[in-house]
Amino acid sequence: SPNAFLPTSVREVEARGWEELDVILFTGDAYVDHPAFGAAVIGRLLEAEGYRVAIVPQPNWRDDLRDFRKLGKPRLFFGVSAGAMDSMVNHYTATRRRRSDDAYTPGGRAGQRPDYPTLVYTRILKRLYPEVPVVVGGIEASLRRLTDYDYWKDRLRPSFLVESGADLLTYGMGDRVVVEMARRLHNGFNLKRLSRLPQVAYLADRAPEGACLLHSYEACVESPEKFGENFTRIETESNRVEASVLAERVGDRYVVVNPPYPYLTEAEMDRSFDLPYTRLPHPRYDGKGAISAYEMIKHSVNLHRGCFGGCSFCTISAHQGKFISSRSEGSILREVERITQMAD
């Protein structure tokens, strides 16, 4: 039944008898209700805490923006993610040629998301609803929380916080931080209080006391060596159990990155994977072709998160962290059992 999924339309919201939504998530991917897809995980975690959550997958950013208006404004915040894959890797080959298909869209159709959806979606939401907090997260925002080298434009870019106008950036796996954020906003805390949370980045007028000061964005643009030194500092901190607050000046402000939460306990990992996922693409895609990213992973079982490796070609440790979080045997076997009962 459609009610088995998180709602994606006004009709589905009304079918649940909801007058108002607490959180609306925008994602560059199709909505697949499976633990390998970030928007589904975040939505299910918030739902389990009693919040009314909807997902707007692959909104049309080119027209009258009705996809951004259709569900109105949420009581707590908008969440924005480019999807489970960096949008530029999704769109271009290593030789900067445009790809002709998209593994996260039904039928592999290309062109269902813009380049850098994090920036595009956030700017639209800020224009339409300037007073509603917008929180960006997912792989794209996560890896661009500080100055980064943009391979496609061959230049350094400032943090996505600066370029998007988002109120807050969450990095890494959002399980704890998103639930805690919703709780604080629900309890009437303002955004200032949210900036004290672990695993968030925000813009400030000055660097917090005791923060590890990185070279400024402008200094990095002038000197590739300084950019390299920043990277070494960031990488070193990511290996520490007790990491420092990082601060990087951009213009007359500072991007401040708080250290991450400690890695998830076994019980927290189990809870995330035991949520009532249907493990299927949303019925709105029926007859529209296969979603190849889903076809590849639909019967796979994830045993842990995090990686201590830090290989230069891989972003897992930059996103999931250097410390391993494992599930219990019971949780893994329950998931395997559920998969054996799937129709296919």
Side-chain angles (χ1 to χ4, degrees):
S1 80
N3 262 7
F5 293 81
L6 295 167
T8 63
S9 66
V10 175
R11 195 185 306 145
E12 290 167 52
V13 171
E14 286 170 350
R16 291 186 171 218
W18 294 349
E19 313 251 306
E20 181 184 42
L21 289 157
D22 297 320
V23 179
I24 301 174
L25 304 173
F26 284 81
T27 172
D29 291 341
Y31 169 33
V32 180
D33 191 41
H34 184 286
F37 293 80
V41 177
I42 297 302
R44 289 294 188 189
L45 284 161
L46 288 167
E47 177 190 54
E49 296 292 324
Y51 298 106
R52 292 160 301 194
V53 188
I55 293 183
V56 181
Q58 300 187 319
N60 187 338
W61 75 100
R62 293 187 179 100
D63 59 6
D64 59 4
L65 308 180
R66 62 179 172 273
D67 283 347
F68 292 88
R69 290 194 178 95
K70 65 182 181 183
L71 299 177
K73 59 181 185 186
R75 189 173 64 88
L76 301 178
F77 64 90
F78 287 113
V80 171
S81 164
M85 183 176 179
D86 186 90
S87 70
M88 299 304 278
V89 178
N90 182 300
H91 281 172
Y92 300 93
T93 68
T95 54
R96 298 186 176 91
R97 285 175 70 102
R98 187 99 191 170
R99 293 186 195 272
S100 54
D101 59 348
D102 181 339
Y104 289 84
T105 304
R109 269 170 63 222
Q112 297 306 295
R113 75 181 94 206
D115 286 354
Y116 311 110
T118 309
L119 299 181
V120 177
Y121 297 170
T122 304
R123 287 170 184 161
I124 290 169
L125 290 169
K126 272 296 171 201
R127 201 165 70 236
L128 295 176
Y129 309 101
E131 72 291 355
V132 181
V134 177
V135 180
V136 296
I139 197 90
E140 182 164 273
S142 204
L143 298 179
R144 293 175 169 80
R145 54 190 184 261
L146 292 157
T147 297
D148 78 285
Y149 170 65
D150 187 312
Y151 171 77
W152 291 271
K153 303 254 190 315
D154 192 26
R155 64 178 170 89
L156 293 186
R157 298 178 74 132
S159 163
F160 260 31
L161 268 174
V162 176
E163 294 205 327
S164 68
D167 297 282
L168 210 60
L169 180 150
T170 68
Y171 65 91
M173 309 301 269
D175 308 51
R176 275 191 193 148
V177 66
V178 167
V179 169
E180 188 54 37
M181 214 157 45
R183 193 172 68 85
R184 291 194 185 193
L185 287 170
H186 175 69
N187 290 338
F189 288 121
N190 60 17
L191 279 163
K192 201 113 198 111
R193 294 289 291 274
L194 258 59
S195 64
R196 295 176 195 168
L197 282 171
Q199 217 164 306
V200 301
Y202 60 96
L203 284 171
D205 294 330
R206 55 175 182 267
E209 222 171 293
C212 167
L213 279 175
L214 300 168
H215 297 297
S216 70
Y217 162 68
E218 289 78 10
C220 290
V221 170
E222 289 297 308
S223 159
E225 290 74 21
K226 286 185 173 161
F227 179 57
E229 284 167 21
N230 273 11
F231 181 83
T232 307
R233 273 319 281 272
I234 295 161
E235 191 69 7
T236 304
E237 289 300 325
S238 74
N239 282 290
R240 293 200 165 123
V241 177
E242 302 274 330
S244 307
V245 173
L246 299 173
E248 179 186 73
R249 195 163 60 78
V250 183
D252 56 357
R253 304 192 76 190
Y254 286 86
V255 176
V256 181
V257 181
N258 293 342
Y261 276 95
Y263 52 93
L264 295 184
T265 63
E266 186 180 89
E268 287 173 308
M269 283 286 285
D270 287 359
R271 183 161 180 269
S272 179
F273 283 92
D274 289 346
L275 294 167
Y277 302 102
T278 60
R279 301 185 73 88
L280 299 166
H282 189 279
R284 65 188 284 150
Y285 306 122
D286 289 355
K288 293 190 176 166
I291 299 169
S292 60
Y294 165 70
E295 294 298 322
M296 181 189 80
I297 209 164
K298 63 182 175 180
H299 299 143
S300 300
V301 179
N302 186 355
L303 311 186
H304 76 280
R305 287 193 195 149
C307 176
F308 48 80
C311 305
S312 61
F313 56 81
C314 175
T315 58
I316 287 178
S317 60
H319 187 65
Q320 298 188 4
K322 294 286 176 83
F323 302 96
I324 307 292
S325 296
S326 295
R327 294 168 67 185
S328 71
E329 202 173 293
S331 169
I332 293 162
L333 291 170
R334 280 193 297 278
E335 186 174 358
V336 171
E337 178 69 28
R338 279 202 301 278
I339 292 170
T340 64
Q341 289 162 10
M342 289 173 73
D344 56 353

